[in-house]
Amino acid sequence: MATKTLLFIEDEYLEMEDFVSALKEEGYDVETASDGGEAIQLLSKKRYDIVLLDIMMSHGDEMSSSIPGRRTGIEILKMIRTGKLEPSIDRDTPVVVLTGLGNSREITDIQKLDVNELIQKPIAPDRLAIIIDDTLTASFSRKH
Amino acid sequence: MGFEPQMRPFRVSKLTDLIAEEVLELIQLGFGKQQGIPMTIIEKRDDAYVRIPRREDFQPWTGFCKYLRSTAEGNRLCVEYDRQQAESILSEKSESPKQYICHAGLVDISVPIVIGGEVIAVFFGGQKRSSGSTKEIESAVAALATKVPGLNSQTLLEHANAIEELTEEDLAAVMKKLRTIVGYITTLAKDSYDTKRRLQEELFLEAAVSYFMSQYGKERRQVRQVIQEILVGLGQFAELSACIFLSEQETIPVVTAPYIPLQVPLVRIKSSLNKIIPSSSVRSGHIYNDRIQVHPVIGNSVEERIFLQDLIDVLQRSTISRAYISRFELLNNIPGIFIFIENCGQENIGVDQQSLKERVKFLEDFVSRAREQINAYLVDEEGSDLVAGLAHQFRSPMSWILGRCWALKKKRSDAVSQLGYVSQQVADPKIIGPVIKAFESMGPIVADIENYIEILKYKADSLLYLAASERGQAEFDFRLWSVPQILRGRIDLFRPRGEKYGKTFRLQLGRGADTKIFIDRTQMEIVFDNLLDNAVKYSHAHKEILVTAFLDESRNRYIVRVDNFGLAIEREEQELIFKRYYRGRMVKDVKRQIFGSGIGLAVALSIVEAHGGTIRVDSHRGRGDSVRGSVHGEGYRTYFTLEIPIKRSGG
């Protein structure tokens, strides 16, 4: 079975480390981006099977957000879903969102953004790997 | 879409805009009888002049007037005369009281009622005879007799003679009385006017700030445009002809009343303006077109003098007759200078300096209040960002800890495998065995850390809920959930900690427990976690914690009860423990310290009440059951009972 590629977009490097290890153990080819700019660059050049995104990530350069530093994970998600990054990334690419937010309304708002799966932190890496796997399987089943 | 003020500045065109007609009737009736002076008010409504009171039985006429008005033509002439008088006073906007002889020869007095600089009604009183007016009255009666069919001049004269004759001093006293009454009415009207105008201003302010905030976050250029739109609307309130918002960028058109755009080329003074804008002080002054004067307060710096001279040159080339310059900063990062210009292109309408000062003061106050309100909004926005940021700050490190736990477990597992291999190959089992056991014992330690991270999550959620609810930002997402399913998950979370002290959990599901109910799952988990955590903390060792769930069909309520045996909650404290930061006396008295913040139950209560439910505690001395055989302990049975009404639909 071909190795699945995953882009992990998360600005907290320390948090990323163990999760990346867990995902690699599950057989994923993991690449990382630590800010929105880097994420857009990678997404523009390569097709990923799945994107894992921290919704509260700050951006590293001037982007369209008028309130810098807040929720540009949402902007990346919107760019994927509106096809702005095609043809390199399919707008239907599964996106799993990680969030530290807790308010029910905020969770509902994120869910409305057409995410495949929303995971509330904290979560253990092995559990995350299982959810990623399930999401990818479900997405593949829907397509075929 | 630009800013369209929902309401126009509060303008008064008639007295009954401010005081109800019924109240005016009563005032006149009361004063009229008391003073013995017939009186009436006339105001203009649309195109008609309306007399107050209108009711016939309220008309305070003398016998003379009653007789005259009893004829159709007589009434018409009187009404027409009154209308002409009122029209004359209202159209001339004359504010001075007048004494005059009516068409029937009687003395009448008119006192205009002035509100907000406008004559909005005329107060008439009198129907008196001045001494020595007999000939005038006879002459007037004779004239009326020829015009009014059915009028008996003799009868009319008899009525006239019955009217008391008043000297000039008496009539002056009547005038004074009427002016006093008008003063009273004006005070009432002005209070009403001020209140209604303030309300309009507040509504405008709210609309303007809401509009501004809805646009905030866009580019500065757009925000400046928004401010300009608001100022134009504001100009209507202050009854100034124009407002200019100057930016250090391109020309901003001046919009004047009646909204004739007047381009004021400001490119030339841009550099001067740039030097002034960074300054933090406010300058103000007057400029008059005929004699250009600069108020000594402004123009203190060389840059400002240059700017003002340039501005004067520009304004002189236009037809602006008066301008007032004031410098404000609506927001710290959007500086500007507001110039209020009056009578652009029009002749001086006679507005005096004092009036202009008052209007500008109004605008300055408005900007100041708008600034405060905008800052309050921004603090709130920052506040909500703070709460979201806090959530992120709590949960991200927890994720990191779970990540490290996973890494530790992996390494432990790898180490155990390696050691197992080594022990098979070479090592003395007596040496290797303990090493393997040491590594294996890490497993439960890591499991403890992972379990506690999950418990910490609910504590963080409690704090975050508290922060959000204090800002009025706590929001709920009600959906159908199975309570037993949630309870099982939460009990599993606390079970490991309980078991360390021999405390066990038992979930007992009663009738209807499987009924799904509308709750916010995330928030309700916080409630259950608080109750279960308290049960673990405050129950005695080796005791059972019983969690019961059932549906009370008779009261349409879903009940969850958490029941433990341990520390008491005394009767007088049973309501207090739901208050923030309160901790029970027994908890504080025990030798071993039981850590707690005292906010858990306050948060739980708040969430349950948001569901329309209640939560209460009962605690009484009892004998506890122990899981260790027949040993019974002394202590208190404490029950927390949660009741949630069954919603038949979401939300």
Side-chain angles (χ1 to χ4, degrees):
Chain A
M1 191 171 152
T3 306
K4 298 291 180 194
T5 54
L6 181 149
L7 177 63
F8 189 177
I9 310 172
E10 162 67 73
D11 59 342
E12 303 269 359
Y13 174 73
L14 281 180
E15 276 188 52
M16 227 192 245
E17 206 182 341
D18 294 314
F19 289 96
V20 169
S21 301
L23 290 166
K24 281 181 174 172
E25 277 205 5
E26 284 297 311
Y28 287 93
D29 175 11
V30 181
E31 287 187 37
T32 60
S34 58
D35 62 54
E38 193 183 347
I40 299 298
Q41 275 184 347
L42 289 171
L43 286 166
S44 306
K45 289 178 190 164
K46 182 175 172 175
R47 190 173 280 265
Y48 295 90
D49 293 307
I50 187 163
V51 174
L52 175 59
L53 165 66
D54 181 343
I55 206 82
M56 283 288 281
M57 184 193 59
S58 56
H59 63 58
D61 56 16
E62 287 298 313
M63 288 177 72
S64 61
S65 171
S66 56
I67 307 177
R70 187 161 186 250
R71 302 195 184 184
T72 53
I74 292 178
E75 288 163 2
I76 293 175
L77 176 60
K78 283 180 182 170
M79 288 175 84
I80 294 173
R81 289 288 182 251
T82 54
K84 281 191 177 158
L85 297 168
E86 284 178 346
S88 54
I89 185 154
D90 190 341
R91 65 176 70 195
D92 293 327
T93 299
V95 176
V96 173
V97 162
L98 275 173
T99 179
L101 297 173
N103 182 295
S104 301
R105 178 61 67 85
E106 286 167 327
I107 299 295
T108 307
D109 286 346
I110 295 171
Q111 282 169 334
K112 285 179 189 165
L113 295 172
D114 195 14
V115 300
N116 293 80
E117 193 65 48
L118 173 66
I119 302 172
Q120 215 177 346
K121 292 182 192 177
I123 185 167
D126 47 351
R127 175 90 188 113
L128 175 67
I130 293 172
I131 294 174
I132 297 286
D133 224 24
D134 290 346
T135 306
L136 210 46
T137 306
S139 169
F140 182 80
S141 303
R142 266 198 301 274
K143 267 189 191 166
H144 299 96
Chain B
M1 189 185 289
F3 177 64
E4 300 271 343
Q6 294 303 310
M7 69 297 298
R8 293 294 162 206
F10 182 67
R11 299 232 190 279
V12 173
S13 61
K14 53 192 186 305
L15 185 58
T16 45
D17 282 342
L18 301 171
I19 303 178
E21 192 170 324
E22 294 79 7
V23 173
L24 291 170
E25 284 178 356
L26 287 172
I27 291 172
Q28 286 173 86
L29 211 59
F31 276 119
K33 282 187 177 169
Q34 187 200 48
Q35 301 294 333
I37 305 172
M39 48 187 78
T40 191
I41 293 174
I42 295 182
E43 66 175 15
K44 191 172 181 188
R45 296 180 191 176
D46 299 322
D47 291 326
Y49 289 88
V50 176
R51 172 192 293 280
I52 301 163
R54 284 187 281 172
R55 284 169 54 170
E56 285 305 314
D57 55 335
F58 270 40
Q59 303 302 334
W61 311 127
T62 58
F64 178 91
C65 294
K66 268 186 190 163
Y67 179 63
L68 180 56
R69 286 174 185 264
S70 68
T71 62
E73 183 59 17
N75 186 57
R76 190 195 69 78
L77 287 171
C78 287
V79 166
E80 180 57 24
Y81 184 81
D82 289 340
R83 188 198 65 78
Q84 285 171 358
Q85 288 297 312
E87 187 179 21
S88 162
I89 294 167
L90 288 169
S91 61
E92 288 167 17
K93 303 190 185 195
S94 167
E95 295 185 20
S96 306
K98 271 195 318 189
Q99 180 179 306
Y100 57 93
I101 306 294
C102 78
H103 69 121
L106 296 182
V107 174
D108 270 339
I109 294 167
S110 66
V111 184
I113 299 175
V114 182
I115 300 291
E118 298 285 334
V119 178
I120 58 169
V122 186
F123 189 96
F124 292 97
Q127 292 182 27
K128 301 295 181 190
R129 275 181 63 184
S130 64
S131 54
S133 65
T134 307
K135 279 204 175 353
E136 282 89 353
I137 290 175
E138 282 173 357
S139 174
V141 166
L144 281 169
T146 62
K147 293 178 202 172
V148 179
L151 190 73
N152 185 310
S153 56
Q154 193 56 43
T155 309
L156 196 59
L157 271 173
E158 280 169 14
H159 281 302
N161 291 333
I163 299 173
E164 186 187 357
E165 276 195 24
L166 300 179
T167 63
E168 283 303 314
E169 287 81 11
D170 293 334
L171 285 170
V174 170
M175 166 81 84
K176 195 173 171 186
K177 283 178 188 173
L178 291 177
R179 290 181 75 170
T180 303
I181 294 166
V182 168
Y184 173 67
I185 292 175
T186 305
T187 302
L188 282 181
K190 192 154 185 321
D191 282 346
S192 175
Y193 175 82
D194 288 343
T195 302
K196 290 184 183 194
R197 189 180 170 115
R198 261 198 308 276
L199 176 63
Q200 283 291 75
E201 286 168 17
E202 289 305 320
L203 290 172
F204 179 88
L205 173 66
E206 199 179 302
V209 171
S210 293
Y211 174 61
F212 177 81
M213 290 310 299
S214 71
Q215 303 297 315
Y216 182 69
K218 298 194 177 159
E219 292 181 38
R220 274 172 68 137
R221 186 172 53 80
Q222 286 174 290
V223 173
R224 290 169 194 280
Q225 183 68 29
V226 162
I227 293 176
Q228 187 187 358
E229 288 174 21
I230 292 173
L231 287 176
V232 168
L234 192 58
Q236 295 177 67
F237 270 95
E239 297 161 320
L240 295 183
S241 307
C243 303
I244 306 177
F245 174 62
L246 298 181
S247 74
E248 63 264 20
Q249 293 175 0
E250 68 278 5
T251 304
I252 302 290
V254 173
V255 179
T256 72
Y259 301 106
I260 303 166
L262 174 68
Q263 292 288 335
V264 178
L266 297 169
V267 173
R268 220 182 77 186
I269 59 172
K270 220 168 40 166
S271 59
S272 308
L273 195 60
N274 281 342
K275 285 174 193 153
I276 292 168
I277 281 177
S279 156
S280 62
S281 58
V282 176
R283 297 281 184 255
S284 62
H286 285 101
I287 295 177
Y288 299 93
N289 201 31
D290 51 353
R291 285 177 302 138
I292 303 299
Q293 281 184 352
V294 175
H295 193 284
V297 173
I298 56 173
N300 281 350
S301 69
V302 171
E303 294 84 0
E304 283 189 354
R305 284 185 181 280
I306 293 170
F307 160 69
L308 286 169
Q309 191 55 56
D310 285 345
L311 185 62
I312 289 164
D313 289 345
V314 165
L315 292 175
Q316 271 187 306
R317 279 198 290 279
S318 69
T319 53
I320 294 165
S321 62
R322 239 195 291 228
Y324 183 90
I325 299 176
S326 189
R327 186 179 163 285
F328 298 104
E329 284 191 2
L330 192 62
L331 291 177
N332 288 336
N333 60 348
I334 306 180
I337 292 183
F338 301 139
I339 298 182
F340 306 114
I341 298 177
E342 190 166 39
N343 306 326
C344 292
Q346 297 172 11
E347 289 184 13
N348 191 326
I349 59 168
V351 176
D352 59 32
Q353 267 199 49
Q354 184 58 34
S355 186
L356 178 62
K357 272 187 190 169
E358 282 169 12
R359 292 172 190 181
V360 173
K361 178 80 173 49
F362 166 80
L363 285 164
E364 289 175 343
D365 286 347
F366 177 88
V367 171
S368 176
R369 278 155 49 218
R371 191 189 303 127
E372 280 171 16
Q373 216 179 92
I374 288 168
N375 282 335
Y377 270 110
L378 291 177
V379 166
D380 267 354
E381 289 256 319
E382 285 168 10
S384 78
D385 280 0
L386 173 69
V387 173
L390 273 178
H392 188 72
Q393 292 294 329
F394 273 121
R395 295 214 174 87
S396 292
M398 285 187 211
S399 262
W400 176 79
I401 293 171
L402 288 179
R404 294 280 79 189
C405 286
W406 172 84
L408 195 58
K409 279 193 293 191
K410 262 196 57 46
K411 293 216 183 294
R412 181 192 71 84
S413 173
D414 290 346
V416 167
S417 296
Q418 289 289 331
L419 285 167
Y421 172 77
V422 165
S423 75
Q424 281 168 13
Q425 300 297 317
V426 294
D428 180 350
K430 285 186 191 161
I431 298 170
I432 289 296
V435 175
I436 293 175
K437 269 198 178 152
F439 274 105
E440 282 175 347
S441 69
M442 284 184 198
I445 295 172
V446 173
D448 270 352
I449 296 172
E450 288 174 325
N451 178 247
Y452 204 71
I453 289 293
E454 290 294 325
I455 291 172
L456 275 180
K457 180 177 169 296
Y458 104 78
K459 289 182 187 288
D461 286 347
S462 293
L463 273 176
L464 292 167
Y465 173 84
L466 197 64
S469 74
E470 278 178 348
R471 282 174 169 76
Q473 289 165 356
E475 297 189 347
F476 294 82
D477 181 17
F478 292 96
R479 293 178 194 225
L480 272 177
W481 290 104
S482 159
V483 170
Q485 186 186 10
I486 299 173
L487 282 171
R488 283 190 193 99
R490 305 333 284 172
I491 289 171
D492 283 345
L493 181 64
F494 289 92
R495 197 188 303 278
R497 281 184 69 215
E499 282 173 353
K500 282 190 188 315
Y501 302 100
K503 302 178 191 182
T504 58
F505 280 91
R506 183 158 61 98
L507 176 62
Q508 190 170 283
L509 300 177
R511 198 181 162 108
D514 287 323
T515 307
K516 287 191 177 177
I517 61 173
F518 275 98
I519 53 172
D520 180 317
R521 177 181 181 141
T522 310
Q523 310 291 21
M524 198 53 72
E525 282 179 353
I526 297 175
V527 175
F528 295 151
D529 287 353
N530 268 292
L531 298 181
L532 296 172
D533 191 22
N534 283 344
V536 170
K537 273 198 293 207
Y538 303 126
S539 60
H540 290 337
H542 310 296
K543 298 298 181 194
E544 181 184 78
I545 297 166
L546 176 64
V547 181
T548 314
F550 62 96
L551 177 66
D552 181 345
E553 283 186 7
S554 63
R555 293 190 304 128
N556 226 27
R557 284 176 186 269
Y558 196 97
I559 315 289
V560 174
R561 213 162 88 164
V562 178
D563 180 345
N564 70 273
F565 187 83
L567 294 179
I569 300 174
E570 292 172 343
R571 188 176 295 277
E572 56 271 18
E573 292 187 306
Q574 286 175 9
E575 280 193 29
L576 292 172
I577 57 166
F578 291 101
K579 291 201 184 309
R580 219 178 277 182
Y581 313 124
Y582 186 89
R583 301 195 71 217
R585 187 185 63 78
M586 285 248 173
V587 164
K588 290 184 279 197
D589 283 353
V590 294
K591 283 183 186 169
R592 71 179 196 283
Q593 260 191 317
I594 303 177
F595 289 103
S597 60
I599 66 165
L601 286 176
V603 166
L605 177 64
S606 172
I607 292 170
V608 168
E609 285 180 341
H611 283 74
T614 59
I615 181 170
R616 66 172 194 276
V617 65
D618 300 292
S619 186
H620 56 83
R621 188 172 283 279
R623 296 172 72 79
D625 298 319
S626 167
V627 293
R628 282 197 177 177
S630 60
V631 176
H632 293 280
E634 291 294 329
Y636 283 76
R637 285 222 82 81
T638 299
Y639 312 76
F640 279 89
T641 307
L642 194 83
E643 294 190 13
I644 299 170
I646 305 291
K647 283 189 196 298
R648 292 297 170 196
S649 58

